[in-house]
Amino acid sequence: SRRQRQMCIETGVYAQLSKQLVESLFGEDPQSDGTFNLGDDVVTYSSDGVTITLTITSPDGTTTTIVIPVGGI
């Protein structure tokens, strides 16, 4: 169904976002802040050691900000 396809696409997007973020923050050359592209969106991230802040900017300029506590990571 259409809803199932949409959910599958969303899951893939979240998996790619997670993979890129983990590699950027904890990979061989960790960075406390940076930017990468996810499809047509631009993801900017920063970490202060307490939280990770993600700002996702869509092509139309709409932004979504997500703050993730680092405590358990």
Side-chain angles (χ1 to χ4, degrees):
S1 76
R2 183 178 187 161
R3 179 68 183 139
Q4 287 175 324
R5 284 191 302 271
Q6 180 181 359
M7 287 177 59
C8 186
I9 291 170
E10 288 175 1
T11 299
V13 168
Y14 292 135
Q16 186 63 27
L17 172 62
S18 175
K19 178 181 174 186
Q20 289 183 350
L21 186 60
V22 167
E23 179 63 30
S24 297
L25 287 168
F26 307 109
E28 288 185 30
D29 184 24
Q31 306 293 315
S32 62
D33 57 15
T35 301
F36 58 88
N37 294 323
L38 183 65
D40 292 335
D41 296 334
V42 177
V43 179
T44 303
Y45 65 90
S46 64
S47 175
D48 61 8
V50 177
T51 60
I52 298 169
T53 301
L54 302 174
T55 302
I56 305 166
T57 305
S58 298
D60 67 1
T62 304
T63 61
T64 301
T65 300
I66 302 168
V67 179
I68 304 165
V70 177
I73 297 179

